[in-house]
Amino acid sequence: MNKVTLALTKENVKSVFVIAKSLPTDQFTEQFEIEFTSANLIERIDLQDLSLKYYSMAGKTTRFDPVLGKNVTEVLTGEEVFDAEIKSIEKKENRLLVKCAPIPARNHFVLTIGELEIKNADITKTVNTEGDVYTYHTFDNGMVKLNYRLYTPKLVSGQKVPLVLALHGSGESGDRSDYDNNTHLVTSRLGLSFSTEEWQRGHPCYVVMPQFPSLVASYETEEYQKAYMEIIDSLSNVDSNKIYGVTLSMGSRIMYSMLANYPTYFASVILNCGNPMNALVSNVRDMPIHLIHIENDNIVLTQFSIDTFKQLIKAGNQNARLTLYPFKYVKSKNLPDAHWSWSIAMEEKEKLEWLFRQSKLNNNQGSETGLLMCFDKVGAIKETVIMDDTVYVPLKKISGPLGWEYSKEGNSILLIKGDKHISINTNSWRISQNFENNADYQLRFKEIEKDLFVEFDFVSKYLEAPVELGWQYPSKSI
């Protein structure tokens, strides 16, 4: 470390910009742009002169405890410290550009350059070119006050267009992000996927992104749900038959509550990693609903989406979809953990286009009988069997297209793909494999006319492929 670096002080800094990048997770970066009073001050700065740390968020956090079998609330001190990698630095005249590993935009940080410390309070502005097209608003009806961002499409006179209500997770709530009316927008693509120039050219729409003031004020609070609808209803060019919801984590829990309270308000919804709690999902037995989860989510258990899909089947909903991503996506998609299903789903255009095909005017409620089908990553379609409220798929037929060689030797079924081996003992129905998939799974199966049918999520748990359940009609597919 050199003397010039050591001598830097706050008086040498003119401005600090944070460049937020809400890109797919495998491209996500954070960048700081620091403008100094003189170019001479940064000439001798090297990468080893910098370090970056960030802190946990002080406040309450809610997660599902699988041991207790319920949600638990923990209090964080805000003093837990984590290191973030500095990837590179670049000097442009009197500006220092610092690229680092992604850090949560809502967390407090300390960027150290020699003895100079730059903190959140020193930020001049957080810049996100995608988020900048959203206008800032505050809703206040005397009972509820909340901030929200709004994207307004380019419209021709009299045109009616869809609207997307995007509800974020607990980490972006106001009491965990200084209520900045920004963090909830720029830290995921929940709303941003619908406001890109490409999407708007083919699908002009409004996007409303409220920021929950606090965790306490957000969970299943009907006054706030009414506020969201008041905001939407105030926009005169919205097509009321095409109001959509996209949510993640806590936002999904709130959406479940909204669907129970107002089952006919939305045309369709996509719910990522949600827990319905006590919401009556049977109230929406006619609505197209897409549930999405990653296997082994230990924050909101994957089983919640599976069980909710089963409830929808039992209630007669033949417009529901369920997608499960394999646990291996956590590494291959560069995700922080198995909770982040939205980072995959909101980049899959097919899912967004499916949402926008839905309308209150053209759903198949009661007009046709559909077949529940299983779709794997190569698009193969397999008819399912529903028994005891559980969905089963033919193991031999579905493993082949995914590249697994199926064979039976004595009392063992073998699945082989390259150097990976799965063995199923047909006496004990215990599973063993020679690779780590982080699965803890008791095989559920049915033998039908000598064919082995396994519970459909065997595909995402063991065959390491995304799997989807959806209804197919004679006149249209999902």
Side-chain angles (χ1 to χ4, degrees):
M1 192 176 293
N2 58 71
K3 292 182 179 180
V4 174
T5 305
L6 286 171
L8 292 174
T9 66
K10 290 284 182 69
E11 285 70 29
N12 302 131
V13 178
K14 292 180 66 175
S15 62
V16 179
F17 287 85
V18 173
I19 316 300
K21 299 289 185 181
S22 301
L23 296 173
T25 52
D26 56 355
Q27 301 178 42
F28 194 100
T29 60
E30 283 283 352
Q31 181 171 306
F32 297 88
E33 182 176 312
I34 307 155
E35 184 181 11
F36 289 86
T37 54
S38 169
N40 295 331
L41 294 170
I42 63 174
E43 282 182 353
R44 295 170 60 190
I45 293 178
D46 294 321
L47 186 64
Q48 61 265 27
D49 296 328
L50 284 75
S51 66
L52 177 62
K53 298 180 182 294
Y54 66 97
Y55 293 80
S56 63
M57 295 173 292
K60 296 180 178 179
T61 179
T62 301
R63 64 177 180 82
F64 183 83
D65 188 319
V67 176
L68 298 177
K70 64 179 182 179
N71 282 332
V72 295
T73 300
E74 299 174 336
V75 178
L76 299 177
T77 65
E79 297 178 357
E80 295 85 356
V81 184
F82 306 92
D83 291 312
E85 177 191 2
I86 303 292
K87 292 182 176 291
S88 66
I89 62 172
E90 183 180 355
K91 302 166 188 176
K92 291 185 177 180
E93 298 179 344
N94 65 328
R95 292 175 295 125
L96 181 67
L97 307 181
V98 181
K99 288 187 177 181
C100 65
I103 63 173
R106 59 189 178 269
N107 292 50
H108 291 288
F109 68 88
V110 179
L111 174 63
T112 302
I113 309 173
E115 294 184 352
L116 171 65
E117 290 188 345
I118 296 174
K119 303 180 180 180
N120 296 66
D122 301 314
I123 295 176
T124 305
K125 185 179 180 181
T126 298
V127 179
N128 183 294
T129 54
E130 288 189 273
D132 287 347
V133 299
Y134 286 71
T135 51
Y136 290 81
H137 300 270
T138 298
F139 173 87
D140 188 352
N141 64 0
M143 295 181 294
V144 170
K145 184 177 181 179
L146 61 88
N147 293 332
Y148 68 97
R149 300 289 291 276
L150 172 65
Y151 177 82
T152 302
K154 297 176 182 178
L155 300 172
V156 299
S157 179
Q159 183 181 8
K160 297 283 188 179
V161 296
L163 178 142
V164 175
L165 174 67
L167 300 182
H168 62 78
S170 63
E172 296 76 49
S173 295
D175 52 356
R176 303 178 75 178
S177 61
D178 300 322
Y179 207 20
D180 60 4
N181 202 8
N182 190 55
T183 300
H184 66 303
L185 174 64
V186 302
T187 54
S188 78
R189 300 206 58 79
L190 199 66
L192 295 177
S193 292
F194 298 99
S195 54
T196 65
E197 290 185 9
E198 179 185 2
W199 183 262
Q200 286 289 322
R201 278 197 297 270
H203 311 83
C205 65
Y206 288 94
V207 183
V208 174
M209 288 204 68
Q211 185 177 29
F212 311 138
S214 69
L215 294 178
V216 175
S218 301
Y219 279 126
E220 303 171 280
T221 307
E222 195 167 355
E223 288 76 12
Y224 281 84
Q225 297 173 16
K226 291 178 180 178
Y228 308 148
M229 293 187 292
E230 283 191 48
I231 293 169
I232 294 170
D233 295 343
S234 70
L235 302 169
S236 58
N237 294 100
V238 173
D239 183 345
S240 61
N241 289 308
K242 294 185 177 182
I243 297 175
Y244 307 119
V246 292
T247 63
L248 67 90
S249 196
M250 184 187 76
S252 296
R253 177 175 168 178
I254 294 168
M255 179 56 72
Y256 275 124
S257 179
M258 285 191 73
L259 295 177
N261 292 331
Y262 310 99
T264 62
Y265 188 77
F266 294 93
S268 184
V269 295
I270 295 176
L271 298 103
N272 285 281
C273 51
N275 176 0
M277 295 300 287
N278 299 316
L280 296 174
V281 296
S282 59
N283 283 7
V284 288
R285 58 179 175 269
D286 292 332
M287 180 186 293
I289 298 176
H290 194 167
L291 312 179
I292 301 173
H293 235 112
I294 299 178
E295 287 288 1
N296 300 98
D297 184 344
N298 62 359
I299 296 176
V300 178
L301 293 188
T302 310
Q303 194 65 37
F304 283 127
S305 287
I306 296 174
D307 290 344
T308 301
F309 189 79
K310 291 179 181 179
Q311 291 179 49
L312 290 169
I313 292 176
K314 197 170 184 178
N317 189 319
Q318 294 196 5
N319 291 285
R321 293 175 69 178
L322 171 63
T323 296
L324 298 182
Y325 297 118
F327 181 77
K328 75 170 186 177
Y329 275 16
V330 175
K331 287 186 178 180
S332 65
K333 302 290 185 180
N334 194 28
L335 305 177
D337 55 53
H339 188 51
W340 288 55
S341 63
W342 63 91
S343 292
I344 309 170
M346 301 313 295
E347 293 297 330
E348 295 182 344
K349 190 175 180 181
E350 181 277 330
K351 288 180 172 51
L352 311 186
E353 290 178 338
W354 172 87
L355 182 72
F356 268 59
R357 288 200 300 270
Q358 311 309 320
S359 169
K360 293 180 184 178
L361 299 178
N362 63 6
N363 290 333
N364 278 83
Q365 289 83 21
S367 59
E368 296 182 76
T369 299
L371 294 174
L372 182 61
M373 311 297 286
C374 182
F375 299 76
D376 58 42
K377 72 174 183 179
V378 294
I381 302 174
K382 308 292 187 299
E383 190 170 344
T384 65
V385 173
I386 304 174
M387 300 180 70
D388 305 322
D389 296 326
T390 300
V391 182
Y392 296 92
V393 295
L395 178 58
K396 186 175 182 179
K397 289 182 180 179
I398 205 164
S399 58
L402 295 174
W404 291 87
E405 182 182 343
Y406 179 103
S407 64
K408 189 170 183 179
E409 297 180 6
N411 61 354
S412 292
I413 292 174
L414 301 177
L415 295 166
I416 300 174
K417 183 178 182 180
D419 60 354
K420 295 182 178 181
H421 296 242
I422 301 172
S423 176
I424 303 172
N425 186 305
T426 56
N427 289 330
S428 64
W429 295 106
R430 295 184 63 180
I431 303 171
S432 60
Q433 81 284 331
N434 68 343
F435 58 96
E436 177 58 49
N437 66 357
N438 204 37
D440 181 12
Y441 190 61
Q442 176 65 45
L443 181 66
R444 298 184 68 176
F445 69 95
K446 296 288 183 183
E447 289 186 282
I448 304 174
E449 297 180 355
K450 297 184 179 182
D451 285 334
L452 179 64
F453 281 66
V454 296
E455 191 168 7
F456 80 97
D457 59 343
F458 182 91
V459 176
S460 49
K461 279 187 168 75
Y462 276 92
L463 302 186
E464 297 189 313
V467 62
E468 179 170 304
L469 296 179
W471 294 89
Q472 192 173 61
Y473 293 90
S475 63
K476 72 170 187 177
S477 61
I478 64 169

